[in-house]
């Protein structure tokens, strides 16, 4: 399979001692046809990537959430200019309702749940159940800004 051969080439190109690493998988349908890894998971400690290495992806997933939402909009399955409450009825009622678009571009005014975790004493360096983060957002009856008027980074808008 060309994709597997090409993936091996890419992986081999990055295989250098003491280099930042990567882990990759190629799927055909639901079947994993290739998986591989190379390099270091942590440069400062020289920790090599292995089959069981887990990565903290942080905010990288937000780009995928936006891409999927835009694909759904292109198919007519979601209106990104509709109030977010249209799709998330559990959201608190705000004086001005943020739209899906505003959630995606950080102009919704929704509080960053990471700030709420810090303020609650839970912090951001210990695992917290998804439900706890959601509860913190859903308890907020006020927004940090009028939707659409100010850019304020908010992981809460993506949660």
């Amino acid at each position: 399979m060309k994709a597997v051969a090409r993936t091996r080439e890419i992986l081999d190109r990055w295989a250098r001692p003491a280099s930042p690493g990567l882990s990759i998988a190629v799927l055909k349908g639901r079947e994993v046809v290739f998986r591989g890894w190379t390099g270091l998971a942590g440069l400062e400690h020289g920790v090599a990537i292995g089959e069981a290495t887990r990565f903290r992806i942080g905010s990288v997933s937000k780009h995928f959430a936006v891409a999927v939402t835009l694909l759904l909009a292109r198919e007519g399955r979601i209106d990104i200019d509709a109030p977010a409450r249209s799709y998330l009825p559990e959201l608190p009622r705000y004086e001005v309702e943020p739209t899906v678009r505003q959630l995606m571009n950080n102009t919704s005014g929704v509080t960053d749940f990471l700030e709420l975790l810090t303020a609650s004493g839970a912090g951001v360096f210990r695992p917290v159940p998804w439900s706890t983060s959601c509860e913190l957002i859903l308890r907020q009856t006020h927004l940090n800004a009028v939707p659409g008027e100010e850019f304020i980074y908010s992981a809460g808008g993506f949660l």
Side-chain angles (χ1 to χ4, degrees):
M1 175 186 296
K2 281 185 177 181
V4 170
R6 181 72 180 117
T7 304
R8 280 188 205 280
E9 288 174 19
I10 293 168
L11 197 60
D12 289 345
R13 213 175 342 161
W14 286 95
R16 293 184 208 113
S19 72
L22 65 98
S23 179
I24 191 165
V26 176
L27 285 78
K28 183 174 184 178
R30 293 180 182 257
E31 179 190 357
V32 177
V33 295
F34 175 83
R35 65 180 180 184
W37 49 88
T38 187
L40 301 177
L43 296 177
E44 64 279 5
H45 300 293
V47 177
I49 293 176
E51 184 173 9
T53 301
R54 299 293 180 256
F55 298 91
R56 186 180 187 297
I57 61 171
S59 293
V60 171
S61 59
K62 291 178 177 80
H63 304 287
F64 293 99
V66 169
V68 167
T69 303
L70 292 173
L71 288 171
L72 291 171
R74 186 169 66 185
E75 293 174 2
R77 296 172 62 190
I78 189 170
D79 177 2
I80 64 172
D81 292 312
R85 170 178 288 291
S86 303
Y87 304 99
L88 301 166
E90 63 275 15
L91 285 176
R93 293 206 178 272
Y94 302 115
E95 192 173 320
V96 178
E97 297 291 334
T99 65
V100 174
R101 180 188 303 267
Q102 291 164 338
L103 289 175
M104 293 190 305
N105 67 22
N106 290 298
T107 62
S108 68
V110 172
T111 305
D112 186 343
F113 79 92
L114 299 173
E115 290 180 14
L116 294 171
L117 285 172
T118 300
S120 74
V124 295
F125 296 108
R126 293 190 313 252
V128 174
W130 181 76
S131 59
T132 300
S133 298
C134 287
E135 287 171 26
L136 287 170
I137 291 294
L138 296 177
R139 284 196 303 228
Q140 305 307 306
T141 58
H142 294 84
L143 297 170
N144 286 343
V146 175
E149 288 192 4
E150 193 173 340
F151 175 90
I152 302 174
Y153 179 83
S154 174
F158 286 90
L159 184 68

